[in-house]
Amino acid sequence: MGLWVPTGAGDFTWQQSNVASTRPAAGYGASLTPGNNSKGSYVSLISSATNDVYGVLININSGATSAAGRDIIVDIGVDPAGGTSYTVLIPDLLGSCASTYGLGGGISYYFPIWIKAGSQIAARASVNNATVGTVRVVATVFGKPRDPNRVKVGTYCTAFGITAASSQGTGVTSGTSSEGSWTVLSAATSKPHWWWQLGMGCNDSTMTSALLYGADLSFGDASNKIITVSDRLFHVVSAAEALASQLVMIGCERYAKSGLAVYGRLQCSGTADSALSLAGYAVGG
Amino acid sequence: MGLWVPSGSGEFSWRADNYSTTRPATTWGTTVTFTGNTGSVANPQWGTWTQVLSGGTVSTDVFGLWLNFHDPGVPGNNQVVAAVGVDPAGGSSYTTLITDLIFQNPSLLANGGGTSYYFPIWIKAGSSIAVRGYVDSSGTMDIAVMAAVYGKPTDPASVKVGTYVTAFGVTYDTWPASGIFGVAITSGTTSEGSWTSLASSIARDHWWWQTSFLLNDATMTAGNIYNTDLAFGDASNKIIIIQDEPMRVEVNGSPTKGSWPVACERNVKAGNNLYGRIQCSGTADSNLAMVCYGVGG
């Protein structure tokens, strides 16, 4: 196989986390107290990034409560000066009813996005429930690639389809025996993007245990859609009203110029729960 | 941010799989019957190849292969060994591409998501892809296999793709006398476990890594989390490749290993040693073992 294989594309030699020296636990990472459909206070995740960051792995866990619908969105904020004056870098990550880290593992996202060395990184959350409870966030950042010039890294992240007033995405009707219909998450993007992630919400206080949802994300127009995330699986963990999804990274890189629409759709293994929503996230720059 | 960002590094414009056109289900993909192993230690008895992707489906060159194993339907302490075969002619005469994928009986898809791997490995267009395997018991076990392949990158010349996969830490020497297939390892609890050698002086260069973790325990503890580290180096100096990759014991007593493609790329030259260690959230289960896989070429 004679392909030229460049070194350094993702060959990170450094990582830093808010749990690296911490024993794994069911509730893992920093505990956030959300506001009730408003963002709570920031909680520091990484006080000072030792090196320039080229990738951010976020896990949201332990946001679920039995017999409660808890749509949750989480902002990742950064203060490049290392202080606590945060600017949102990754907005409104859906962590609806995130399961524990031990059962299901919660909901994970990965973003190839640049953060300056010395920055402080924090998170804050909002929940669609008067009993705000808590949710936990694990953040791991990656850097020091062998050849920085060959690593693709973005500078901004856009959320599509968020309904902040209820801490959820855009309402979606799940398909059952066939795919659900494509639902518009954004009518037209205002900037180009090239890396995609997908989140799902479920604000149902009586979720059906062991249901599976295959979630798709695409961009394009009414007639032509390019799927960027195919069948990200979300499942309802046996513990009541808890959602989990393994990390999806492969196939998430796809260039989309500005002006295109963003769509999501769902298909469920059984009778779908109620109050389902989807949101897309894209990195550009 | 003025970095030059090359196009095509992983921007695949084509994918194919064996599940997305069907409704999500507890058993999704292709069901493969893993044979009960009645072969010898030196010559294990593999099951028959079961095609998961046809040559017609693999319509373009493959640059990455994602696999998920789930839903054995019989939670318990069975160790599973899988192999991936390829027939470049699109037929059913398979040559092994990846062997000795070793994992504990995987969880249900709806209960943790099973056991997943990703390998950036090249497969010729038109190839059919199959899976076979066996378990460490006298009975057979049906395991659902999801397979997805990726290709048509925007700029093929800038995509890193390998041609071989090596399994490290595979041991059969105690099988079938209630032994374990990987390298036995003692988990840390309140602190990290000790580094355990998985391989000494590897024979070839590798640049992409995956891990596997076994817990051959009939009474594994639901909710236990194992954070797994993989490193290379020598007895005194170790460079961590994969850090804190989580493995979980789900509620039905079956473990989960999610897909973990982040920070798995690391050039490791031939001659290095490989090491693993784990740390458990609670009282560790028994018969823990670890295996890892390197992609090179």
Side-chain angles (χ1 to χ4, degrees):
Chain A
M1 183 61 186
L3 284 180
W4 171 62
V5 285
T7 60
D11 190 348
F12 299 124
T13 62
W14 165 81
Q15 72 177 61
Q16 186 175 354
S17 170
N18 66 333
V19 295
S21 59
T22 310
R23 185 179 188 181
Y28 205 35
S31 179
L32 280 58
T33 300
N36 181 14
N37 290 325
S38 63
K39 296 290 168 53
S41 300
Y42 274 111
V43 173
S44 177
L45 303 174
I46 292 174
S47 59
S48 178
T50 308
N51 295 286
D52 288 344
V53 169
Y54 289 75
V56 179
L57 174 65
I58 298 294
N59 173 273
I60 303 170
N61 69 84
S62 305
T65 301
S66 179
R70 287 175 58 80
D71 265 335
I72 293 171
I73 50 177
V74 174
D75 285 342
I76 304 300
V78 170
D79 183 346
T84 56
S85 180
Y86 301 106
T87 301
V88 175
L89 179 68
I90 304 172
D92 298 323
L93 291 174
L94 270 171
S96 179
C97 296
S99 74
T100 66
Y101 201 71
L103 295 177
I107 296 163
S108 297
Y109 299 92
Y110 182 79
F111 298 95
I113 195 163
W114 192 80
I115 299 171
K116 180 184 163 217
S119 297
Q120 183 158 198
I121 303 169
R124 65 180 183 180
S126 170
V127 63
N128 187 20
N129 196 304
T131 305
V132 296
T134 58
V135 60
R136 288 183 177 267
V137 175
V138 176
T140 306
V141 295
F142 302 88
K144 280 201 168 181
R146 280 166 53 93
D147 183 357
N149 287 335
R150 295 209 59 87
V151 176
K152 196 162 181 174
V153 62
T155 56
Y156 56 82
C157 179
T158 311
F160 302 107
I162 290 296
T163 308
S166 50
S167 308
Q168 61 186 171
T170 296
V172 172
T173 300
S174 177
T176 51
S177 56
S178 58
E179 290 281 6
S181 300
W182 286 112
T183 299
V184 175
L185 304 182
S186 171
T189 60
S190 60
K191 292 191 279 192
H193 298 86
W194 54 268
W195 175 269
W196 300 85
Q197 295 279 272
L198 172 62
M200 177 185 141
C202 180
N203 204 59
D204 187 335
S205 60
T206 57
M207 287 186 202
T208 303
S209 174
L211 268 189
L212 281 166
Y213 294 91
D216 296 335
L217 181 70
S218 70
F219 63 82
D221 57 31
S223 305
N224 299 288
K225 295 172 182 68
I226 294 174
I227 296 177
T228 57
V229 179
S230 177
D231 282 314
R232 176 171 191 175
L233 275 177
F234 291 83
H235 66 273
V236 181
V237 178
S238 292
E241 286 71 64
L243 272 182
S245 179
Q246 294 186 0
L247 176 65
V248 172
M249 284 178 63
I250 309 304
C252 294
E253 183 178 340
R254 201 68 187 267
Y255 178 79
K257 64 182 182 181
S258 63
L260 296 171
V262 179
Y263 302 87
R265 68 180 181 185
L266 278 175
Q267 186 176 14
C268 181
S269 61
T271 302
D273 298 300
S274 59
L276 303 172
S277 67
L278 290 173
Y281 307 93
V283 171
Chain B
M1 183 61 185
L3 284 179
W4 171 62
V5 284
S7 63
S9 53
E11 184 177 359
F12 301 121
S13 61
W14 170 85
R15 74 186 293 280
D17 63 52
N18 65 343
Y19 55 90
S20 65
T21 58
T22 59
R23 185 177 186 177
T26 51
T27 300
W28 214 19
T30 304
T31 297
V32 177
T33 298
F34 284 59
T35 189
N37 198 334
T38 55
S40 68
V41 170
N43 185 25
Q45 180 179 315
W46 290 88
T48 55
W49 290 111
T50 299
Q51 181 177 284
V52 294
L53 290 168
S54 70
T57 303
V58 184
S59 58
T60 187
D61 288 343
V62 169
F63 288 73
L65 169 65
W66 177 84
L67 294 165
N68 174 278
F69 300 87
H70 65 272
D71 191 20
V74 283
N77 61 328
N78 283 119
Q79 297 166 105
V80 181
V81 185
V84 177
V86 171
D87 182 350
S92 58
S93 178
Y94 296 102
T95 300
T96 299
L97 178 68
I98 304 170
T99 193
D100 293 331
L101 279 175
I102 299 179
F103 47 90
Q104 204 69 35
N105 52 298
S107 67
L108 302 173
L109 197 59
N111 239 341
T115 294
S116 302
Y117 303 93
Y118 181 73
F119 297 99
I121 191 156
W122 192 81
I123 300 171
K124 182 184 166 209
S127 298
S128 48
I129 300 172
V131 169
R132 69 177 183 178
Y134 61 91
V135 297
D136 65 341
S137 73
S138 57
T140 61
M141 180 185 284
D142 285 348
I143 295 178
V145 180
M146 298 162 69
V149 289
Y150 298 85
K152 282 196 176 179
T154 306
D155 182 1
S158 70
V159 175
K160 198 163 180 172
V161 63
T163 55
Y164 57 82
V165 180
T166 310
F168 298 102
V170 174
T171 60
Y172 299 110
D173 55 342
T174 54
W175 177 85
S178 69
I180 53 175
F181 282 169
V183 173
I185 196 163
T186 300
S187 177
T189 52
T190 55
S191 59
E192 291 281 6
S194 301
W195 287 112
T196 299
S197 175
L198 301 180
S200 298
S201 189
I202 62 175
R204 295 200 280 183
D205 296 351
H206 297 81
W207 56 267
W208 176 270
W209 300 90
Q210 296 278 274
T211 67
S212 223
F213 172 66
L214 300 98
L215 56 168
N216 200 28
D217 187 333
T219 58
M220 58 183 88
T221 305
N224 259 357
I225 310 160
Y226 294 89
N227 276 358
T228 305
D229 295 341
L230 176 68
F232 72 96
D234 57 31
S236 305
N237 300 289
K238 293 173 185 67
I239 295 173
I240 294 177
I241 305 166
I242 296 172
Q243 186 168 3
D244 289 333
E245 178 184 3
M247 318 267 182
R248 303 179 175 86
V249 179
E250 296 296 338
V251 288
N252 64 351
S254 296
T256 287
K257 185 191 102 67
S259 185
W260 194 259
V262 60
C264 294
E265 184 180 340
R266 200 66 183 267
N267 281 310
V268 179
K269 298 298 251 180
N272 275 288
N273 304 330
L274 299 171
Y275 301 87
R277 68 179 181 185
I278 54 179
Q279 184 178 16
C280 183
S281 59
T283 301
D285 299 293
S286 57
N287 292 329
L288 307 177
M290 195 169 164
V291 179
C292 70
Y293 306 91
V295 174

